[in-house]
Amino acid sequence: MMATYINEPSHTFNEYLLIPGYSSCECIPANVSLKTPLVKFKKGEEPAIELAIPMVSAIMQAVSGERLAVELARNGGVSFIYGSQTPEDEAAMVARVKAKKAGFVFSDSNLAPVNTLADILALKAKTGHSTVAITEDGTPNGKLVGIVSSRDYRVSRMDRSEKIADFMTPLEKLVTARFGITLSEANDIIWDNKINSLPVLYEDGRLYGFVFRKDYDSHRENPDEMLDAEKRFVVGAGINSRDYEQRVPLLVNAGADVLCIDSSEGFSEWQKMTIQWIREKYGDSVKVGAGNVVDREGFLFLAEAGADFVKVGIGGGSICITRETKGIGRGQATSLIEVCQARDEYYERTGVYVPVCSDGGIVYDHHITLALAMGADFVMLGRYFARFDESPTQKRTVGGTVVKEYWGEGSNRARNWARYDLGGDKKLQFEEGVDSYVPYAGPLKENVAKTCSKVRATMCNCGALTIAELQKKAKLTLVSATSIVEGGAHDVIRKEKESDNG
């Protein structure tokens, strides 16, 4: 028996361009919708979760922490909290994301009256929060006796050893609400009393949480926010095919909206067993994606196993060295085109639409549009999000350039043996990822807005106002190495960008 040979090259996104199509006068970016399904649905039904923008963050330590999860959800996408930590720690991280936007926010900045100004300053430096709940015992749900905000103290005029009891705003001077009040009623109290925060108390005076004026303002400024039925941020979580029986219940109890099996290769019985266990315990109420695969057979295997979405891509990530280490993988564009064709055929045959996530190989913003045109419903990004303020890594200056740390889950630094190692001794036998830096790019909101503007503009060039329409109308062409060079600035001497000071 001989191996199966595919005697044609596999291609990457950079080898394709979109050919413009007819654009009507309605085809302007303001009319383009980037909404797209995150999880599977039956013909004639609506998906249980729909993204406002086709972007999710990768299941990586250097990318998907709780701060990025909140900010991405605020701007229309979803993060998948990394699973290369203990089940308890991951569940706690998910719970903190869910608590950020319930309208009713559980307090995570708490002290007791006997604490000092120094304690206030240390807590503020740690959490970044300017409002601290003062309870009798210093716990989140203790009996509220007051609050401290930045207007209650002046560091330059006060002794840091001064007791909180001496300068806090006491309970009797606070406007409060009783547990059971609706979010709309709470917002009315905030506006009528011109206050920034409203403590919500149980009948016995214990603190339930807060409603913040800034959260109301935030929703007005971010109409694409991904919120659940209780007005909390939507968040995903990574799982593996090793400890899912312990990890999944904790994540579900913490409020995770969607799970994803994080594996370097998904065409395996391990993933089928994981999905089956989830279905037996939770039915269809728990949404779980699977992957990664690179061909028709891999997609059909996971779709038939019950995956809610399927991730495509092996070895295409900027920090991934799987291809050079193991000789496994396939060009991302070729993989995506074949899988999406299988997805469409599966939909026609079964009436079940299983969304496809393109994971890896995105270098430039226009690669996102190419991936969508090739059939992807959304893209998973690592390097892209690692560059932003909200990623959990440190900012450094290297060679005069401001950068952020970025490492692969297959690197020794990540120690993610559950994702890569098959030996069972809880250590990596060899690396499939590198430790690196990426250029710092600033806040997520500004960068995502610019990227989405580019996607919308290109969709208009193709005559498409929705992603589904783009997938039907798109015309793609392979380009030569010479035309790739021609596509950028060439045969000129580029001016250096002038500084802000001229």
Side-chain angles (χ1 to χ4, degrees), residues 19 54 88-89 91 239 253 278 324 331 340 356 427 437 441 448 500:
I19 297 174
E88 292 78 12
D89 287 345
I239 62 173
N253 290 338
I278 292 172
E324 63 184 83
C340 289
V356 167
K427 67 178 181 178
Y437 299 110
V448 166
D500 293 337

Side-chain angles (χ1 to χ4, degrees), residues 304-323:
E304 290 166 358
D308 284 292
F309 66 84
V310 173
K311 286 204 298 168
V312 176
I314 294 177
S318 59
I319 40 69
C320 183
I321 55 172
T322 294
R323 295 180 190 176

Side-chain angles (χ1 to χ4, degrees), residues 100-249:
K100 294 286 183 183
K101 181 74 180 185
F104 298 93
V105 179
F106 302 118
S107 180
D108 58 1
S109 291
N110 313 281
L111 290 170
V114 296
N115 288 112
T116 65
L117 175 60
D119 296 321
I120 289 284
L121 298 176
L123 185 60
K124 184 177 180 180
K126 179 182 177 181
T127 66
H129 300 157
S130 58
T131 299
V132 178
I134 309 304
T135 58
E136 284 185 345
D137 57 3
T139 64
N141 298 118
K143 191 169 184 178
L144 187 72
V145 295
I147 65 170
V148 172
S149 65
S150 55
R151 64 186 179 185
D152 288 317
Y153 58 87
R154 291 292 181 269
V155 176
S156 60
R157 298 181 181 180
M158 295 171 60
D159 189 325
R160 295 189 178 221
S161 63
E162 188 168 345
K163 300 293 187 197
I164 288 174
D166 296 331
F167 63 87
M168 70 180 184
T169 300
L171 179 63
E172 56 267 23
K173 292 186 178 181
L174 296 175
V175 178
T176 64
R178 284 292 180 90
F179 176 72
I181 191 174
T182 68
L183 184 58
S184 177
E185 291 169 339
N187 282 322
D188 287 342
I189 293 174
I190 287 174
W191 285 95
D192 290 345
N193 290 276
K194 297 181 174 59
I195 55 178
N196 292 321
S197 63
L198 177 69
V200 179
L201 308 179
Y202 293 109
E203 287 189 11
D204 61 2
R206 291 183 302 110
L207 178 65
Y208 168 71
F210 283 91
V211 177
F212 290 100
R213 182 188 185 121
K214 64 181 176 62
D215 285 338
Y216 176 84
D217 294 337
S218 172
H219 183 60
R220 293 182 62 189
E221 295 169 4
N222 300 284
D224 288 333
E225 281 183 322
M226 291 292 296
L227 302 177
D228 65 15
E230 299 178 34
K231 306 297 184 184
R232 302 175 300 177
F233 286 122
V234 173
V235 63
I239 62 173
N240 61 68
S241 57
R242 301 294 187 90
D243 65 5
Y244 55 87
E245 294 186 16
Q246 294 76 44
R247 189 175 296 267
V248 170

Side-chain angles (χ1 to χ4, degrees), residues 54-60 63-64 68 72 357-365 368 379-386 406 448 451:
M55 302 166 73
V56 301
S57 68
I59 309 168
M60 302 176 69
V63 179
S64 293
L68 189 130
L72 182 52
C357 169
S358 181
D359 178 19
I362 301 291
V363 180
Y364 305 108
D365 286 349
I368 297 175
V379 297
M380 179 171 277
L381 304 163
R383 182 196 62 85
Y384 177 89
F385 287 116
Y406 180 47
V448 166
T451 296

Side-chain angles (χ1 to χ4, degrees), residues 359-425:
D359 178 19
I362 301 291
V363 180
Y364 305 108
D365 286 349
H366 76 269
H367 288 171
I368 297 175
T369 319
L370 285 168
L372 298 173
M374 290 172 183
D377 296 282
F378 56 97
V379 297
M380 179 171 277
L381 304 163
R383 182 196 62 85
Y384 177 89
F385 287 116
R387 304 172 302 146
F388 301 152
D389 287 321
E390 294 82 3
S391 73
T393 63
Q394 296 297 312
K395 196 163 52 172
R396 301 182 182 278
T397 301
V398 177
T401 300
V402 181
V403 298
K404 294 203 77 176
E405 295 180 303
Y406 180 47
W407 61 92
E409 289 297 296
S411 67
N412 280 328
R413 179 173 182 176
R415 299 186 186 89
N416 193 355
W417 67 274
R419 186 184 202 271
Y420 289 92
D421 180 61
L422 297 177
D425 56 1

